[in-house]
Amino acid sequence: MKDTKVEQARIRIDAARKHLTEALEAVSGPEPDWTRCEACMDMASDVLPTVIDGEPR
């Protein structure tokens, strides 16, 4: 059970990393695309694993 949670967290963190990278790319360069950046940040926050205080690790 714990291994499954760990694997799921790794997958979600990897997906969030990709969204954050895309967000940074959206605002890099001469004409930043803030709308795309915001959308990517929202997607990253949607996939991040939730940590509940007091939950065993």
Side-chain angles (χ1 to χ4, degrees):
M1 177 85 171
K2 185 176 180 179
D3 291 335
T4 303
K5 284 186 176 184
V6 170
E7 185 60 30
Q8 288 175 354
R10 287 185 178 143
I11 290 168
R12 294 174 72 163
I13 290 169
D14 184 52
R17 183 181 299 124
K18 290 175 184 175
H19 291 307
L20 293 172
T21 300
E22 189 175 346
L24 287 172
E25 290 172 355
V27 295
S28 299
E31 294 191 26
D33 185 349
W34 293 105
T35 304
R36 182 173 159 228
C37 176
E38 183 179 359
C40 293
M41 293 296 291
D42 287 344
M43 289 187 287
S45 68
D46 288 344
V47 298
L48 282 174
T50 302
V51 177
I52 299 170
D53 190 34
E55 185 177 272
R57 296 179 183 197

